[in-house]
Amino acid sequence: MNKTVVESLQEAANLVPNTVFLYEGNQNFTFQDMDQLSDTLASSLYSLGLKQGDHIAINALNQSEWLLAFFAAAKLGITVVTLNVRYRDNEIEYMVNNADVKAIISVDALGDFNYVSFYQRLEDRLPSVEHYIFIGDNSRFTGSYSFQQLMERKKELMIATPTITPEEVLLMIYTSGTTGKPKGTMITHKSILASAKAQVDHFQVTDNDLAIGALPFNHVGGITCTVMVALVSRSKVALVPSFHPKQVLNTIEQYQATILGGVPTMYYMLIGQEEVSSYDVSSLRLCIVGGSNVEPGLADDMVRVFPTAHLVNLYGLSETSGACILSNFEDSVERIGESIGVIIGDFEARVEKDNHFDDSPGEVGELMIRGDCVAKGYYNMEDATQDTFTEDGWLCTGDMVSIEEGGYVYFKGRKKEMYVTGGFNVFPVEIENVLTKHPKVALAAGIGVPDKWMGEIGRYYIVPASKAKPTAEELTDYCLQHVSDYKVPKEFIFVEEVPMTPAGKIQKAKLKEAVVKGEWSSNGEKRV
């Protein structure tokens, strides 16, 4: 799509002005509402001296204010840096300073945490920030602004609309940091709309659809795969401020939602609700699982709980601005559990092995993606950009895959997650998929750890499915029935949880750090 997000919103406001775009609690917003209200906010932000080329950060829940700020910034040619409400001192200081943020729009409080006093305490450590704008009724510190007051200002003389091109940076989303320091991915108007349009076409999303907006907007799963998909297709989104299983199930029933997107952790929590069968979820036609292919045990449970919905995988990265690989409607549950899907739109997928492309069936190599969905690079990180984005347009995803007959992509794990035991390559995701089929296992996360004789061995962190946790002997015997003996884990660590990113991905880097620091002993008891 050779247009901007601003043009897409204005086009929808002109063609279907009274069509509802967002449901939020007991109110709703049409496309015209979002266009006009974001005009008002854009005018107020401009009056504060914010202009094209500046960066502002949004630190809020999935709420209308988030999206109003997003569209207002887009109209001014301002880049939005997305933050997560769970971030604290270190994350905020690093990202805000790294991104040269000029203004922060934040909720004023969440639970017992007061963001007004939080940012007031951090003020001296965030030298680029000139303006703080708070959503809510709490008192503010001197010099900060109320979001509501900005929305109530009489619309001042609107700026001469800046010339914004599809290639300009719209969003800066920091990578979730599963393998290292977060990098600010620069997503353009063109790239985010390209991904959204490809998803709309592949899943045949129409104006009759209504999606649950529970995935966080600071991640492409929320802003691209949910909101931008709705904008492109003129469909609807029911906002869920933050993920709570009962609230999601209530929202599905209340609005007769047709599309539900989430990461595996979310689906485990939904299925785990004792009264899940009492909710009417028969309106769902799509259950989209992002992050990795659906583990077979989870896939079986999802088919049971959401019988009317097509179960599909979604593969995408911040660097692809959203989805780039999706399952087909006709894919079986077995296929869903094995393959992440096929390339969508006019994007390209290749396998790189030993510095050249090798798409032979069964060959495992790094997944490379090319197309309009690919982001512009990393902000202020030239070396990292050159390592990840090639001159001829390919994105090095860092994910190991094979591409089989029919173009189906099989995920093998992160490039840096692969370990070598006794000269054999092992991809943890393969073993994790086996382990989670065991009835006593809820979640499994594997890493390679140093070993004197084998070079590396597999250590797998296991979250039991119930109080009756499995034994290491049980899991060893189970794995021996399903995979080669060299792939069978040598260590099992039983834990109540594993470190997760805000987007719901397992943080393997933190598990590896724990090994280096000696925080976990081989019997699974945390060392003091």
Side-chain angles (χ1 to χ4, degrees), residues 413-432:
R414 292 288 297 171
K415 186 177 182 180
K416 293 182 180 179
E417 286 179 10
M418 185 194 79
Y419 59 90
V420 182
T421 183
F424 293 100
N425 295 342
V426 180
F427 296 95
V429 68
E430 178 185 4
I431 318 306
E432 291 163 358

Side-chain angles (χ1 to χ4, degrees), residues 193-413:
L193 288 176
S195 174
K197 177 64 162 55
Q199 183 178 332
V200 167
D201 291 345
H202 189 82
F203 284 153
Q204 301 168 31
V205 183
T206 72
D207 56 5
N208 292 319
D209 280 306
L210 187 150
I212 297 296
L215 284 163
F217 291 165
N218 69 299
H219 186 269
V220 291
I223 192 61
T224 307
C225 303
T226 307
V227 176
M228 289 298 102
V229 162
L231 176 61
V232 169
S233 61
R234 315 280 166 76
S235 57
K236 303 168 180 62
V237 177
L239 300 181
V240 177
S242 60
F243 181 82
H244 293 286
K246 289 183 180 178
Q247 186 174 4
V248 169
L249 291 167
N250 273 322
T251 307
I252 293 170
E253 184 174 82
Q254 178 182 356
Y255 293 104
Q256 291 293 285
T258 60
I259 300 174
L260 174 62
V263 296
T265 307
M266 292 179 173
Y267 282 104
Y268 279 120
M269 292 174 70
L270 289 169
I271 290 166
Q273 292 296 302
E274 290 183 4
E275 63 273 32
V276 63
S277 60
S278 67
Y279 291 90
D280 179 8
V281 295
S282 61
S283 58
L284 288 175
R285 73 175 186 89
L286 273 178
C287 280
I288 305 171
V289 185
S292 63
N293 56 297
V294 184
E295 294 170 340
L298 176 59
D300 291 339
D301 285 340
M302 289 179 65
V303 169
R304 173 177 55 82
V305 174
F306 306 110
T308 62
H310 289 282
L311 173 61
V312 290
N313 286 317
L314 181 153
Y315 173 89
L317 310 165
S318 299
E319 291 87 346
T320 59
S321 311
C324 61
I325 293 174
L326 298 170
S327 301
N328 285 318
F329 277 128
E330 64 272 17
D331 289 344
S332 65
V333 174
E334 291 73 26
R335 171 87 78 177
I336 298 294
E338 296 173 347
S339 168
I340 56 176
V342 298
I343 196 75
I344 60 174
D346 56 3
F347 310 151
E348 300 174 77
R350 302 290 302 272
V351 169
E352 184 179 75
K353 182 178 182 181
D354 300 326
N355 296 318
H356 69 276
F357 287 130
D358 188 344
D359 297 331
S360 305
E363 287 297 325
V364 177
E366 183 175 4
L367 175 64
M368 309 287 283
I369 299 291
R370 185 165 67 177
D372 286 346
C373 64
V374 174
K376 196 170 184 176
Y378 300 123
Y379 184 71
N380 275 349
M381 290 187 173
E382 186 175 341
D383 290 344
T385 297
Q386 290 178 353
D387 289 343
T388 304
F389 300 84
T390 70
E391 290 184 1
D392 55 350
W394 289 98
L395 168 71
C396 309
T397 66
D399 287 327
M400 303 298 286
V401 304
S402 64
I403 299 180
E404 308 291 348
E405 185 177 352
Y408 281 93
V409 181
Y410 288 74
F411 180 74
K412 304 298 182 180

